[in-house]
PDB file of all heavy atoms in Angstrom:
ATOM      1  N   ALA A1098     -31.912  57.792-110.104  1.00 67.00           N
ATOM      2  CA  ALA A1098     -30.915  58.785-109.722  1.00 67.00           C
ATOM      3  C   ALA A1098     -31.554  60.153-109.462  1.00 67.00           C
ATOM      4  O   ALA A1098     -32.524  60.538-110.116  1.00 67.00           O
ATOM      5  CB  ALA A1098     -29.852  58.924-110.810  1.00 67.00           C
ATOM      6  N   VAL A1099     -30.976  60.893-108.490  1.00 67.00           N
ATOM      7  CA  VAL A1099     -31.414  62.259-108.228  1.00 67.00           C
ATOM      8  C   VAL A1099     -31.137  63.135-109.442  1.00 67.00           C
ATOM      9  O   VAL A1099     -31.979  63.929-109.862  1.00 67.00           O
ATOM     10  CB  VAL A1099     -30.685  62.823-106.987  1.00 67.00           C
ATOM     11  CG1 VAL A1099     -30.973  64.316-106.835  1.00 67.00           C
ATOM     12  CG2 VAL A1099     -31.131  62.080-105.736  1.00 67.00           C
ATOM     13  N   GLU A1100     -29.924  62.982-109.984  1.00 69.00           N
ATOM     14  CA  GLU A1100     -29.567  63.699-111.214  1.00 69.00           C
ATOM     15  C   GLU A1100     -29.713  62.722-112.375  1.00 69.00           C
ATOM     16  O   GLU A1100     -28.939  61.771-112.477  1.00 69.00           O
ATOM     17  CB  GLU A1100     -28.138  64.225-111.115  1.00 69.00           C
ATOM     18  CG  GLU A1100     -27.921  65.185-109.959  1.00 69.00           C
ATOM     19  CD  GLU A1100     -26.476  65.625-109.850  1.00 69.00           C
ATOM     20  OE1 GLU A1100     -25.686  65.303-110.749  1.00 69.00           O
ATOM     21  OE2 GLU A1100     -26.148  66.284-108.852  1.00 69.00           O
ATOM     22  N   PRO A1101     -30.710  62.896-113.221  1.00 63.00           N
ATOM     23  CA  PRO A1101     -30.994  61.916-114.275  1.00 63.00           C
ATOM     24  C   PRO A1101     -29.942  61.920-115.386  1.00 63.00           C
ATOM     25  O   PRO A1101     -30.195  62.307-116.514  1.00 63.00           O
ATOM     26  CB  PRO A1101     -32.370  62.344-114.788  1.00 63.00           C
ATOM     27  CG  PRO A1101     -32.413  63.819-114.523  1.00 63.00           C
ATOM     28  CD  PRO A1101     -31.640  64.041-113.253  1.00 63.00           C
ATOM     29  N   ASP A1102     -28.731  61.486-115.025  1.00 63.00           N
ATOM     30  CA  ASP A1102     -27.635  61.378-115.979  1.00 63.00           C
ATOM     31  C   ASP A1102     -27.414  59.899-116.249  1.00 63.00           C
ATOM     32  O   ASP A1102     -26.981  59.155-115.359  1.00 63.00           O
ATOM     33  CB  ASP A1102     -26.368  62.024-115.395  1.00 63.00           C
ATOM     34  CG  ASP A1102     -25.204  61.997-116.377  1.00 63.00           C
ATOM     35  OD1 ASP A1102     -25.265  61.234-117.354  1.00 63.00           O
ATOM     36  OD2 ASP A1102     -24.241  62.747-116.162  1.00 63.00           O
ATOM     37  N   ALA A1103     -27.717  59.458-117.443  1.00 70.00           N
ATOM     38  CA  ALA A1103     -27.660  58.028-117.759  1.00 70.00           C
ATOM     39  C   ALA A1103     -26.239  57.546-118.037  1.00 70.00           C
ATOM     40  O   ALA A1103     -26.048  56.536-118.695  1.00 70.00           O
ATOM     41  CB  ALA A1103     -28.559  57.724-118.950  1.00 70.00           C
ATOM     42  N   THR A1104     -25.265  58.287-117.534  1.00 86.00           N
ATOM     43  CA  THR A1104     -23.875  57.853-117.720  1.00 86.00           C
ATOM     44  C   THR A1104     -23.105  57.779-116.410  1.00 86.00           C
ATOM     45  O   THR A1104     -22.050  57.160-116.358  1.00 86.00           O
ATOM     46  CB  THR A1104     -23.110  58.802-118.660  1.00 86.00           C
ATOM     47  OG1 THR A1104     -22.984  60.089-118.046  1.00 86.00           O
ATOM     48  CG2 THR A1104     -23.825  58.935-119.994  1.00 86.00           C
ATOM     49  N   GLU A1105     -23.598  58.383-115.347  1.00 90.00           N
ATOM     50  CA  GLU A1105     -22.806  58.543-114.133  1.00 90.00           C
ATOM     51  C   GLU A1105     -23.229  57.557-113.046  1.00 90.00           C
ATOM     52  O   GLU A1105     -24.416  57.424-112.731  1.00 90.00           O
ATOM     53  CB  GLU A1105     -22.958  59.968-113.608  1.00 90.00           C
ATOM     54  CG  GLU A1105     -21.939  60.344-112.557  1.00 90.00           C
ATOM     55  CD  GLU A1105     -22.008  61.824-112.237  1.00 90.00           C
ATOM     56  OE1 GLU A1105     -21.466  62.612-113.035  1.00 90.00           O
ATOM     57  OE2 GLU A1105     -22.622  62.178-111.210  1.00 90.00           O
ATOM     58  N   ILE A1106     -22.228  56.861-112.465  1.00 92.00           N
ATOM     59  CA  ILE A1106     -22.471  55.955-111.353  1.00 92.00           C
ATOM     60  C   ILE A1106     -21.512  56.306-110.219  1.00 92.00           C
ATOM     61  O   ILE A1106     -20.601  57.121-110.380  1.00 92.00           O
ATOM     62  CB  ILE A1106     -22.298  54.475-111.754  1.00 92.00           C
ATOM     63  CG1 ILE A1106     -20.836  54.187-112.154  1.00 92.00           C
ATOM     64  CG2 ILE A1106     -23.268  54.093-112.858  1.00 92.00           C
ATOM     65  CD1 ILE A1106     -20.559  52.699-112.344  1.00 92.00           C
ATOM     66  N   ASN A1107     -21.740  55.676-109.055  1.00 93.00           N
ATOM     67  CA  ASN A1107     -20.894  55.894-107.886  1.00 93.00           C
ATOM     68  C   ASN A1107     -20.275  54.579-107.430  1.00 93.00           C
ATOM     69  O   ASN A1107     -20.872  53.501-107.598  1.00 93.00           O
ATOM     70  CB  ASN A1107     -21.707  56.445-106.721  1.00 93.00           C
ATOM     71  CG  ASN A1107     -22.446  57.725-107.059  1.00 93.00           C
ATOM     72  OD1 ASN A1107     -23.459  57.692-107.753  1.00 93.00           O
ATOM     73  ND2 ASN A1107     -21.968  58.845-106.558  1.00 93.00           N
ATOM     74  N   LEU A1108     -19.099  54.664-106.816  1.00 95.00           N
ATOM     75  CA  LEU A1108     -18.540  53.548-106.064  1.00 95.00           C
ATOM     76  C   LEU A1108     -19.028  53.662-104.627  1.00 95.00           C
ATOM     77  O   LEU A1108     -19.089  54.778-104.074  1.00 95.00           O
ATOM     78  CB  LEU A1108     -17.010  53.567-106.088  1.00 95.00           C
ATOM     79  CG  LEU A1108     -16.332  52.785-107.219  1.00 95.00           C
ATOM     80  CD1 LEU A1108     -16.619  51.302-107.081  1.00 95.00           C
ATOM     81  CD2 LEU A1108     -16.729  53.287-108.584  1.00 95.00           C
ATOM     82  N   ILE A1109     -19.371  52.529-104.024  1.00 94.00           N
ATOM     83  CA  ILE A1109     -19.983  52.514-102.689  1.00 94.00           C
ATOM     84  C   ILE A1109     -19.149  51.604-101.789  1.00 94.00           C
ATOM     85  O   ILE A1109     -19.108  50.387-101.996  1.00 94.00           O
ATOM     86  CB  ILE A1109     -21.441  52.011-102.763  1.00 94.00           C
ATOM     87  CG1 ILE A1109     -22.239  52.838-103.787  1.00 94.00           C
ATOM     88  CG2 ILE A1109     -22.098  52.069-101.384  1.00 94.00           C
ATOM     89  CD1 ILE A1109     -23.590  52.221-104.147  1.00 94.00           C
ATOM     90  N   TYR A1110     -18.501  52.194-100.785  1.00 94.00           N
ATOM     91  CA  TYR A1110     -17.578  51.444 -99.926  1.00 94.00           C
ATOM     92  C   TYR A1110     -18.101  51.242 -98.507  1.00 94.00           C
ATOM     93  O   TYR A1110     -17.407  50.658 -97.666  1.00 94.00           O
ATOM     94  CB  TYR A1110     -16.229  52.169 -99.861  1.00 94.00           C
ATOM     95  CG  TYR A1110     -15.340  51.864-101.036  1.00 94.00           C
ATOM     96  CD1 TYR A1110     -15.321  52.695-102.155  1.00 94.00           C
ATOM     97  CD2 TYR A1110     -14.530  50.739-101.048  1.00 94.00           C
ATOM     98  CE1 TYR A1110     -14.524  52.410-103.251  1.00 94.00           C
ATOM     99  CE2 TYR A1110     -13.729  50.446-102.130  1.00 94.00           C
ATOM    100  CZ  TYR A1110     -13.722  51.292-103.223  1.00 94.00           C
ATOM    101  OH  TYR A1110     -12.924  50.991-104.297  1.00 94.00           O
ATOM    102  N   HIS A1111     -19.288  51.695 -98.210  1.00 90.00           N
ATOM    103  CA  HIS A1111     -19.784  51.671 -96.840  1.00 90.00           C
ATOM    104  C   HIS A1111     -19.826  50.256 -96.250  1.00 90.00           C
ATOM    105  O   HIS A1111     -19.473  50.054 -95.087  1.00 90.00           O
ATOM    106  CB  HIS A1111     -21.180  52.294 -96.781  1.00 90.00           C
ATOM    107  CG  HIS A1111     -21.243  53.688 -97.307  1.00 90.00           C
ATOM    108  ND1 HIS A1111     -21.095  53.989 -98.646  1.00 90.00           N
ATOM    109  CD2 HIS A1111     -21.439  54.876 -96.675  1.00 90.00           C
ATOM    110  CE1 HIS A1111     -21.194  55.301 -98.824  1.00 90.00           C
ATOM    111  NE2 HIS A1111     -21.408  55.863 -97.650  1.00 90.00           N
ATOM    112  N   ASN A1112     -20.289  49.293 -97.040  1.00 90.00           N
ATOM    113  CA  ASN A1112     -20.429  47.919 -96.517  1.00 90.00           C
ATOM    114  C   ASN A1112     -19.085  47.341 -96.109  1.00 90.00           C
ATOM    115  O   ASN A1112     -18.962  46.694 -95.062  1.00 90.00           O
ATOM    116  CB  ASN A1112     -21.092  47.023 -97.566  1.00 90.00           C
ATOM    117  CG  ASN A1112     -22.425  47.561 -98.013  1.00 90.00           C
ATOM    118  OD1 ASN A1112     -22.475  48.503 -98.798  1.00 90.00           O
ATOM    119  ND2 ASN A1112     -23.510  47.014 -97.507  1.00 90.00           N
TER     120      ASN A1112
END
Side-chain angles (χ1 to χ4, degrees):
V1099 171
E1100 300 177 8
D1102 183 344
T1104 66
E1105 194 171 281
I1106 64 171
N1107 304 75
L1108 269 295
I1109 306 167
Y1110 278 94
H1111 303 70
N1112 304 77

